[in-house]
């Protein structure tokens, strides 16, 4: 049966129209990734609204292609300008830019692009094998477990995205949960926080919220800074030497891919963390003599980072498919897109839509291969785009924000929602509150609310099952431990013990 689904997905991906959409979406993702500040989350959010009326499979191909392209494209500006196109490529600049200054920019781009493709392909294998396992595990989850899973996802997302002050990340997530409460509740269909407004009674649409949160701050920041730095000229790609280096470091590639998938599975962590951890692991396992070359143009640094952050793509999709919990901010947007196109990721996915998993895997594999081809063919063109003044580019992005919001329901109210959350995004940015937990709160809010209320109805208002179910106890220990650790309680006890 699995082979039939794979064959059908393969045939769908090879249809001329779908191939064209795949190449155009991958190209758009690469361009968005190359331009500093235009994140993968923003790219997917913009495209989600535009694909609303697409055939379902074509829309999926388009969304997955722009995801792969935007994560992979960030390496080029990191290597050539020392300006990461996306947060996922921040660690790439450590060794990529020194290689460019040594006249090896073309080699660095080839290595980054090649291992990005390999990392994504490896992650596809994990998606295919781990998703059914996690799905069967998810069937053991009841209302109490999903309630705690929602809290866990928001807490860990807030902790990672606001490491200096995790409480800011948690507050951001709670604000997102409050926004998710607007509209008719899912249990008793009672209007909440609508104040008699019919549009608010139907709830806040996710796509305008996402476009506002991530689009507006980037547009405003573009007009506050100058970004016409000189582009560093790169040498030839040296494909033969590049393939030799990849083959020589194949174990580094495999290790970094496994780290990336593992990091991606954790809700709310993201591709940038996967890149940094892969870089850290490669440097830590190197000899003392080689450690000194990291940060000075070591190709292994580029290889490990780009493998790690791209393998996070598949890793982040695994909890989306099996638990309906996104592993990263771009995956959160992707989850919303899946829901918009009629799929319901979660424990019942393999029962309701058994072909969906295989479609996603095949489309991801095709997208990674198309990304490799397009990135190598058009790298010089994408680098020239860096010379475009963002003050001229951002008005186009603004128009896309408005169009993307309007196309959800063909309702101007959604455009107004986008404006409101654009202002909220600016406020969050100015106060250094991360937007990712807010977005995750909006997404997980309905799941948290409906499961808590359903669980309380089944237990006649008692919270006792929360402390007696094994999976609940596991989540409670982790959640309480995480909060205490971030509040410094463990350090306080440790200092007291040393003083005694």
């Amino acid at each position: 049966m699995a082979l039939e689904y794979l064959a059908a997905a393969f045939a769908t991906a090879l249809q001329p129209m779908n191939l064209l959409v795949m190449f155009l979406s991958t190209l758009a993702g690469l361009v968005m990734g190359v331009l500093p500040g235009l994140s993968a989350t923003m790219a997917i959010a913009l495209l989600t609204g535009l694909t609303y009326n697409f055939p379902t499979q074509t829309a999926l191909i388009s969304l997955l292609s722009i995801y792969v392209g935007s994560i992979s494209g960030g390496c080029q500006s990191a290597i050539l300008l020392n300006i990461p196109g996306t947060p996922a490529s921040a660690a790439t600049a450590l060794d990529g830019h020194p290689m460019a200054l040594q006249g090896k920019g073309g080699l660095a781009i080839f290595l980054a692009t090649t291992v990005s493709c390999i990392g994504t392909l490896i992650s596809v294998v994990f998606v295919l094998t781990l998703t059914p396992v996690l799905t069967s595990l998810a069937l053991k989850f009841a209302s109490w477990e999903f309630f705690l899973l929602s809290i866990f996802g928001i807490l860990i997302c807030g902790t990672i995205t606001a490491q200096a002050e995790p409480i800011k990340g948690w507050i951001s997530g709670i604000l997102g949960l409050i926004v998710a409460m607007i509209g008719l509740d899912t249990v008793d269909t009672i209007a909440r926080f609508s104040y008699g407004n019919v549009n608010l009674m139907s709830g806040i649409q996710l796509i305008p919220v996402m476009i506002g949160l991530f689009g507006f701050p980037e547009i405003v920041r573009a007009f506050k800074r100058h970004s016409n730095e000189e582009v560093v000229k790169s040498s030839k790609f040296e494909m033969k030497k590049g393939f030799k280096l990849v083959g020589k470091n194949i174990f580094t590639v495999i290790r970094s891919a496994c780290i990336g998938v593992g990091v991606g599975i954790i809700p709310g962590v993201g591709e940038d963390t996967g890149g940094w951890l892969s870089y850290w692991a490669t440097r830590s396992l190197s000899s003392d003599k080689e450690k000194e070359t990291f940060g000075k143009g070591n190709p292994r640094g580029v290889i490990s980072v780009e493998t790690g952050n791209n393998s996070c793509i598949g890793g982040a999709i695994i909890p989306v498919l099996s638990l309906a919990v996104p592993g990263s901010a771009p995956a959160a947007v992707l989850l919303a897109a899946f829901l918009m196109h009629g799929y319901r990721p979660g424990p019942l996915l393999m029962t309701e839509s058994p072909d969906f998993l295989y479609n996603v895997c095949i489309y991801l594999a095709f997208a990674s291969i198309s990304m490799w081809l397009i990135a190598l063919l058009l790298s010089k063109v994408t680098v020239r785009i860096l010379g475009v003044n963002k003050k001229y580019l951002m008005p186009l992005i603004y128009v896309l924000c408005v169009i993307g919001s309007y196309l959800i329901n063909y309702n101007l109210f959604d455009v107004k929602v986008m404006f409101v959350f654009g202002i909220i995004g600016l406020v969050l940015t100015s106060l250094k509150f991360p937007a990712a937990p807010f977005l995750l709160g909006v997404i997980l809010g309905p799941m948290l609310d409906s499961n808590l209320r359903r669980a309380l109805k089944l237990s006649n208002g008692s919270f006792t099952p929360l402390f007696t179910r094994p999976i609940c106890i596991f989540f409670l220990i982790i959640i309480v431990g995480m909060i205490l650790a971030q509040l410094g309680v463990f350090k306080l006890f440790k200092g007291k013990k040393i003083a005694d």
Side-chain angles (χ1 to χ4, degrees):
M1 202 68 172
L3 291 176
E4 292 179 9
Y5 291 136
L6 287 171
F10 197 90
T12 302
L14 287 176
Q15 291 177 6
M17 179 55 70
N18 288 339
L19 284 175
L20 177 61
V21 169
M22 181 186 301
F23 277 97
L24 291 176
S25 300
T26 304
L27 175 60
L30 285 168
V31 172
M32 295 284 277
V34 166
L35 291 170
L38 302 183
S39 64
T41 306
M42 182 179 177
I44 302 171
L46 288 172
L47 191 64
T48 299
L50 298 175
T51 60
Y52 185 69
N53 289 322
F54 279 24
T56 303
Q57 300 307 314
T58 304
L60 293 179
I61 290 172
S62 180
L63 291 164
L64 292 169
S65 297
I66 202 169
Y67 189 3
V68 173
S70 54
I71 294 296
S72 305
C75 69
Q76 297 201 18
S77 54
I79 291 168
L80 295 169
L81 294 177
N82 199 27
I83 304 173
T86 61
S89 296
T92 307
L94 294 180
D95 285 288
H97 189 60
M99 287 183 70
L101 295 177
Q102 297 165 14
K104 300 177 182 177
L107 174 62
I109 290 176
F110 177 80
L111 287 174
T113 304
T114 302
V115 297
S116 293
C117 175
I118 296 173
T120 308
L121 289 173
I122 292 175
S123 73
V124 168
V125 177
F126 283 98
V127 174
L128 201 58
T129 54
L130 290 184
T131 301
V133 176
L134 281 182
T135 302
S136 62
L137 176 65
L139 289 173
K140 298 180 181 179
F141 279 46
S143 296
W144 289 111
E145 285 79 5
F146 277 110
F147 165 68
L148 289 177
L149 180 64
S150 304
I151 295 176
F152 170 73
I154 292 169
L155 284 178
I156 197 168
C157 182
T159 302
I160 293 293
T161 53
Q163 294 182 9
E165 297 178 275
I167 193 167
K168 284 189 173 182
W170 300 343
I171 291 172
S172 181
I174 292 170
L175 291 175
L177 287 175
I178 293 172
V179 170
M181 299 299 110
I182 297 174
L184 298 176
D185 77 82
T186 56
V187 178
D188 298 318
T189 63
I190 296 174
R192 301 178 297 187
F193 308 112
S194 62
Y195 308 104
N197 188 304
V198 177
N199 289 308
L200 286 177
M201 287 180 66
S202 62
I204 299 295
Q205 296 295 318
L206 184 59
I207 303 302
V209 172
M210 289 184 291
I211 294 175
L213 283 176
F214 292 95
F216 260 64
E218 299 297 344
I219 293 171
V220 173
R221 278 200 292 267
F223 287 93
K224 286 185 177 180
R225 64 189 177 217
H226 301 288
S227 56
N228 288 322
E229 295 86 350
E230 183 181 353
V231 178
V232 179
K233 292 183 179 179
S234 61
S235 61
K236 295 181 180 180
F237 279 113
E238 301 181 79
M239 294 181 66
K240 189 175 180 181
K241 184 177 180 180
F243 279 124
K244 283 185 178 179
L245 280 171
V246 173
K248 183 180 178 181
N249 293 283
I250 191 64
F251 291 111
T252 300
V253 171
I254 295 172
R255 180 180 62 244
S256 299
C258 292
I259 292 173
V261 171
V263 169
I265 290 175
I266 302 172
V269 179
E271 293 80 8
D272 49 341
T273 305
W276 281 109
L277 285 179
S278 299
Y279 184 86
W280 170 81
T282 301
R283 187 180 184 279
S284 299
L285 295 173
S286 301
S287 62
D288 292 336
K289 187 177 181 180
E290 190 181 10
K291 283 180 182 177
E292 298 176 1
T293 65
F294 281 86
K296 300 177 181 178
N298 191 324
R300 292 185 68 200
V302 175
I303 290 171
S304 58
V305 174
E306 287 301 312
T307 305
N309 59 31
N310 279 270
S311 59
C312 263
I313 294 173
I317 289 176
I318 291 173
V320 168
L321 298 178
S322 57
L323 301 174
V325 175
S328 65
V333 185
L334 202 62
L335 172 59
F338 288 162
L339 293 170
M340 187 181 77
H341 286 287
Y343 288 103
R344 288 200 306 166
L348 299 178
L349 177 68
M350 298 303 292
T351 302
E352 296 177 347
S353 307
D355 60 323
F356 185 61
L357 169 63
Y358 304 99
N359 290 341
V360 169
C361 291
I362 292 297
Y363 300 161
L364 266 181
F366 269 81
S368 63
I369 295 170
S370 68
M371 177 278 300
W372 185 75
L373 293 172
I374 295 172
L376 294 185
L377 290 172
L378 301 179
S379 62
K380 292 184 179 179
V381 176
T382 55
V383 169
R384 286 177 185 172
I385 294 173
L386 292 170
V388 177
N389 193 322
K390 290 184 74 176
K391 292 181 181 178
Y392 302 122
L393 183 68
M394 282 304 170
L396 175 61
I397 299 298
Y398 170 77
V399 171
L400 290 175
C401 287
V402 174
I403 293 174
S405 300
Y406 178 74
L407 288 178
I408 302 301
N409 292 314
Y410 295 100
N411 189 349
L412 284 175
F413 179 78
D414 290 331
V415 178
K416 296 176 183 177
V417 169
M418 185 266 294
F419 275 109
V420 170
F421 283 94
I423 296 171
I424 292 174
L426 288 172
V427 173
L428 290 175
T429 302
S430 63
L431 296 177
K432 296 184 178 179
F433 279 76
F438 190 104
L439 175 64
L440 197 60
V442 175
I443 290 176
L444 296 181
M447 182 172 83
L448 181 147
D449 176 53
S450 60
N451 280 289
L452 174 61
R453 298 182 66 195
R454 189 180 301 114
L456 288 173
K457 281 181 176 292
L458 292 173
S459 63
N460 295 320
S462 173
F463 281 90
T464 303
L466 197 64
F467 305 98
T468 57
R469 300 173 68 90
I471 298 179
C472 288
I473 294 172
F474 172 76
F475 273 122
L476 282 173
I477 292 172
I478 293 178
I479 289 169
V480 173
M482 186 188 307
I483 294 173
L484 293 178
Q486 294 301 325
L487 293 178
V489 174
F490 294 143
K491 290 182 180 179
L492 184 65
F493 277 112
K494 187 177 179 181
K496 201 171 184 182
K497 186 176 180 181
I498 293 173
D500 292 339

